[in-house]
Amino acid sequence: MNQRTGMGGTDTRDRALACAAEPGYPAAVVHVAGRLDRDSASELQACVRDCLAAEPDVVVLDVADLTVAADECVPVFAVLSGQAMTWPGSTVVFACAPPDLLAAVRRTGLDIASYPSVEAACDRLTAGRSRYRLREALPASPVAAPVARRLLGRACRSWSVQEVLEPAELITTELVANAVRHAGNRVVLTVSLRHGHLQISVGDDSPAPPRPHEATVADEHGRGLLMVEALCDDWGTTCVRGGKVVWAKVATVAT
């Protein structure tokens, strides 16, 4: 790719990569400026993961002042797009992408849409959508699980997906209980309906990922995540700065 000049005519070729996240819902924005290379790609990935914790419909990458050091760095955008679509189902798009960046991305086989401004991307991709999403902070105490089940039941009835309430309650109870057991002060439950799945996610401020393991008869804990795995279509952990989000998807006939 050709090197390019950034905002105000300032040469961006040697400026260190800077990422500024604006997490939000239904749209999150990441402003990216400076030089993207193999060493700085992880910073961009971390910034996007931080935005995914809010489970936006769309993540807009503002790349007006981005310089990509070499074509070998371009696949990071495919990684970001794949991560966002796997969970929570967000679409990644560009704002203000120069033609050489778009051409390099498309040579990898990935077609990321580009919009002339951040505002245009947000308006086009979020306007008029029906949204099914509940998000609540929970007390980091034993009362969190019953509170979470009540919120889940309310959401499933409101969205007419009661058929998945029983497995969803079991999953929610386990994820919330794990968060309370290992987290500090922050536990956040998000329930959403997307792409034919009821999605349940629980965020906390512990960076340690949950690990399913075979439990013995004498073990008090250890079987819950194996149960989650059996009940859902997919589950995983997304690490963010300041903690993690553990999520699960339960198939439903709703769209």
Side-chain angles (χ1 to χ4, degrees):
M1 293 177 61
N2 295 328
Q3 305 288 357
R4 53 185 291 271
T5 299
M7 184 180 299
T10 302
D11 192 350
T12 64
R13 288 177 295 180
D14 296 320
R15 196 196 324 165
L17 188 74
C19 301
E22 296 180 10
Y25 179 87
V29 180
V30 180
H31 302 280
V32 192
R35 181 183 178 88
L36 177 66
D37 55 28
R38 285 179 293 181
D39 294 331
S40 60
S42 60
E43 173 66 18
L44 175 58
Q45 290 177 287
C47 204
V48 171
R49 284 196 301 270
D50 288 347
C51 286
L52 294 181
E55 303 191 29
D57 291 338
V58 59
V59 178
V60 182
L61 302 181
D62 175 10
V63 293
D65 286 317
L66 177 68
T67 297
V68 178
D71 277 0
E72 65 188 31
C73 301
V74 171
V76 70
F77 296 109
V79 173
L80 294 173
S81 183
Q83 288 176 337
M85 186 51 63
T86 298
W87 180 87
S90 305
T91 301
V92 174
V93 301
F94 289 134
C96 310
D100 56 348
L101 174 58
L102 288 177
V105 168
R106 287 167 183 164
R107 283 197 297 270
T108 70
L110 179 66
D111 188 10
I112 296 183
S114 182
Y115 295 83
S117 67
V118 170
E119 292 76 12
C122 294
D123 290 346
R124 176 69 180 273
L125 296 172
T126 65
R129 288 193 180 187
S130 296
R131 298 190 174 90
Y132 301 89
R133 179 179 181 266
L134 178 152
R135 186 175 177 87
E136 292 284 346
L138 302 176
S141 72
V143 304
V147 170
R149 287 193 295 271
R150 286 196 295 272
L151 293 169
L152 175 72
R154 185 189 310 162
C156 287
R157 288 187 290 272
S158 176
W159 303 337
S160 300
V161 290
Q162 297 96 318
E163 73 276 5
V164 299
L165 181 55
E166 183 176 350
E169 282 185 331
L170 293 171
I171 291 169
T172 300
T173 298
E174 177 61 23
L175 297 188
V176 170
N178 274 347
V180 171
R181 191 176 300 128
H182 301 295
N185 299 314
R186 186 180 65 87
V187 177
V188 179
L189 170 72
T190 306
V191 182
S192 61
L193 194 60
R194 320 174 169 233
H195 310 302
H197 287 87
L198 183 73
Q199 296 189 176
I200 304 153
S201 66
V202 179
D204 63 57
D205 52 13
S206 169
R211 298 188 183 280
H213 65 275
E214 294 294 339
T216 68
V217 175
D219 286 337
E220 182 180 357
H221 305 294
R223 300 176 182 83
L225 289 175
L226 297 176
M227 177 195 66
V228 168
E229 190 170 27
L231 290 173
C232 68
D233 278 15
D234 192 17
W235 78 281
T237 303
T238 298
C239 295
V240 297
R241 285 175 284 203
K244 66 179 180 296
V245 180
V246 185
W247 51 268
K249 300 180 181 182
V250 181
T252 173
V253 296
T255 57

